[in-house]
Amino acid sequence: MGIRSVFDGGELRREFEKNGIDGKFVGIIWKHVIGNNAKGESGEWNWEKQVPSLPSSAYSVLRSNFGGTKPLSSSLHSVFHSSDNLTSKLLIKLHNGEFVEAVIMRYDTRLGKYAGKPRPGGLRATLCISSQVGCKMGCKFCATGSMGFKNNLSSGEIVEQLVHASAFSQIRNVVFMGMGEPLNNYSAVVEAVRIMTGLPFQLSLKRITVSTVGIIHAINKLHNDLPGLNLAVSLHAPAQDIRCQIMPAARAFPLEKLMNSLQEYQRKSLQKILIEYIMLDGVNDEEQHAHQLGKLLETFQVVVNLIPFNPIGTLSQFKPTSEQKVSNFQKILRGTYNIRTTVRKQMGQDISGACGQLVVNIPDKSLARAEPLTDIEDLVI
């Protein structure tokens, strides 16, 4: 058996139960591990010293089943900051030697609007988190897809990305939009979200978004398992033939069946759905595509987020859409179909931390200052 993460909550609780240890100690252990990690303490980990006042049997379980002399199963290999200081990319090494990336994006809540007025609050951060090493979906505009699929992350490995990121910024929002298809690692993602919303993290489900290419059978049970969670769908095309062209996995999830599934999800959840739509020049960005998309979505309560395509070097056959065409596309959706439509701000492009660029890549960039942006998560709430 490989090294297990102490944040694999289900396994930790089962081991405690087997040994007659009260489950109340789980949250206490996590709180101490997070606190010590934030302090950047190095050297050999001593469970009795770093997490005092546990039953002696708990220390035995922790040492023998959860990493022995270190509390986390992963380690922070390196951190890269964008030139505007708004984005930080964390390269995290897993216990099996593989790497995943997580991205911290810093925003100003006050730049978002609610009922026409600036939102209360101030600076905070969103963490874009990975659920797999690589991805099976093979989307042709996404760097992660070029890696192929290597393995699922455990719930603990997913949560540890939040632990590592919390040492740099106070994380308020989490988006499962990093490496991998979250709903192809369903059980681990659901457990990770439950851990994040419990003690000691206490994130609100309203502040967590799971993005999917449209895994229909998983969407059908998501609301029952995580009521209140935000759902984002990587639609990227208004017709099945275009989706299959740029997203090979779409062949398994016909657009008509996907839309029926989303209709049922919205009926149960009564929540807006975030529709992600990458703009690819000459592929899905013409006026006719805007009208097709508008007709497809006009009976839904959605926010459409238009995403400028981020180059991925020689891997890509696509070109970005011009700003004028993006603006015209947005105007059609807003003006003709009354669909709330935003354009995603470019963040972290210079460190390959932007949408579609995560592929375990180590650039060398310097640090500078810039003004924070509004966060898309403020739009769907």
Side-chain angles (χ1 to χ4, degrees):
M1 181 183 292
I3 297 171
R4 289 191 287 184
S5 168
V6 74
F7 288 96
D8 281 322
E11 292 194 29
L12 180 57
R13 286 190 173 90
R14 279 191 290 274
E15 290 294 337
F16 273 20
E17 186 178 349
K18 240 170 41 177
N19 288 272
I21 303 166
D22 196 324
K24 71 180 182 183
F25 292 111
V26 171
I28 295 170
I29 292 166
W30 289 345
K31 182 177 180 180
H32 282 281
V33 171
I34 295 164
N36 282 288
N37 188 70
K39 292 174 190 173
E41 293 189 3
S42 57
E44 188 167 320
W45 178 266
N46 184 301
W47 281 107
E48 283 87 351
K49 178 183 175 183
Q50 260 91 11
V51 190
S53 305
L54 296 180
S56 58
S57 55
Y59 294 118
S60 298
V61 168
L62 291 167
R63 274 193 296 268
S64 60
N65 294 283
F66 296 93
T69 58
K70 58 180 183 178
L72 301 179
S73 66
S74 64
S75 59
L76 185 60
H77 179 274
S78 46
V79 182
F80 301 92
H81 303 285
S82 62
S83 57
D84 60 14
N85 198 28
L86 297 180
T87 307
S88 298
K89 184 169 72 170
L90 281 57
L91 185 63
I92 297 168
K93 186 175 183 179
L94 306 177
H95 69 87
N96 64 357
E98 297 287 356
F99 290 86
V100 292
E101 294 178 334
V103 180
I104 302 170
M105 299 165 287
R106 299 173 183 88
Y107 302 94
D108 190 339
T109 308
R110 294 163 296 188
L111 298 179
K113 298 285 186 181
Y114 184 77
K117 298 179 181 178
R119 286 178 173 271
L123 302 176
R124 80 287 184 281
T126 288
L127 178 64
C128 179
I129 216 164
S130 294
S131 56
Q132 297 176 314
V133 181
C135 185
K136 293 178 181 178
M137 298 296 99
C139 297
K140 294 182 180 179
F141 48 80
C142 178
T144 306
S146 69
M147 293 174 62
F149 173 73
K150 296 187 177 181
N151 61 266
N152 284 325
L153 301 187
S154 72
S155 58
E157 288 172 326
I158 294 170
V159 174
E160 283 187 17
Q161 294 171 68
L162 175 58
V163 176
H164 290 302
S166 296
F168 295 89
S169 296
Q170 183 176 352
I171 304 298
R172 192 191 73 163
N173 292 353
V174 169
V175 294
F176 282 79
M177 298 180 182
M179 297 169 65
E181 162 55 58
L183 297 191
N184 268 350
N185 189 14
Y186 188 86
S187 296
V189 167
V190 168
E191 182 176 344
V193 170
R194 287 172 175 164
I195 292 170
M196 291 175 186
T197 55
L199 291 169
F201 296 101
Q202 289 189 292
L203 293 179
S204 168
L205 261 178
K206 294 179 181 178
R207 302 294 183 192
I208 300 177
T209 300
V210 169
S211 175
T212 177
V213 300
I215 312 297
I216 293 172
H217 63 272
I219 292 172
N220 290 342
K221 57 184 179 178
L222 189 60
H223 175 68
N224 288 336
D225 289 332
L226 295 171
L229 181 82
N230 289 313
L231 176 65
V233 178
S234 296
L235 195 62
H236 302 315
Q240 178 70 1
D241 59 336
I242 304 175
R243 282 197 100 219
C244 291
Q245 176 190 339
I246 62 177
M247 305 167 67
R251 294 185 181 91
F253 308 106
L255 188 57
E256 184 179 353
K257 290 185 178 179
L258 173 59
M259 300 314 292
N260 289 339
S261 174
L262 295 179
Q263 196 93 55
E264 182 63 13
Y265 178 89
Q266 190 151 73
R267 186 188 69 78
K268 290 179 180 177
S269 69
L270 303 177
Q271 289 177 262
K272 288 181 180 176
I273 297 171
L274 178 64
I275 301 294
E276 299 167 297
Y277 195 97
I278 196 161
M279 300 292 288
L280 302 173
D281 185 44
V283 177
N284 64 351
D285 64 345
E286 306 295 341
E287 287 190 11
Q288 69 189 57
H289 299 131
H291 285 291
Q292 284 179 296
L293 185 62
K295 290 170 184 173
L296 185 68
L297 298 174
E298 61 186 347
T299 61
F300 288 83
Q301 290 296 312
V302 297
V303 175
V304 174
N305 190 215
L306 303 178
I307 306 171
F309 171 63
N310 291 303
I312 50 177
T314 57
L315 294 172
S316 179
Q317 58 187 287
F318 302 112
K319 295 179 181 178
T321 298
S322 69
E323 288 187 15
Q324 184 59 53
K325 284 180 79 172
V326 172
S327 178
N328 289 343
F329 202 98
Q330 181 184 36
K331 285 176 182 175
I332 290 171
L333 292 176
R334 281 180 169 178
T336 305
Y337 299 96
N338 196 31
I339 294 173
R340 192 173 183 187
T341 308
T342 62
V343 179
R344 183 171 297 183
K345 300 291 185 182
Q346 298 276 42
M347 296 187 73
Q349 193 173 25
D350 59 334
I351 56 169
S352 296
C355 180
Q357 289 186 317
L358 300 190
V359 69
V360 182
N361 183 2
I362 306 179
D364 182 16
K365 294 292 176 181
S366 60
L367 195 62
R369 298 294 303 171
E371 293 301 313
L373 304 167
T374 186
D375 183 359
I376 186 61
E377 298 312 302
D378 287 327
L379 298 172
V380 293
I381 297 167

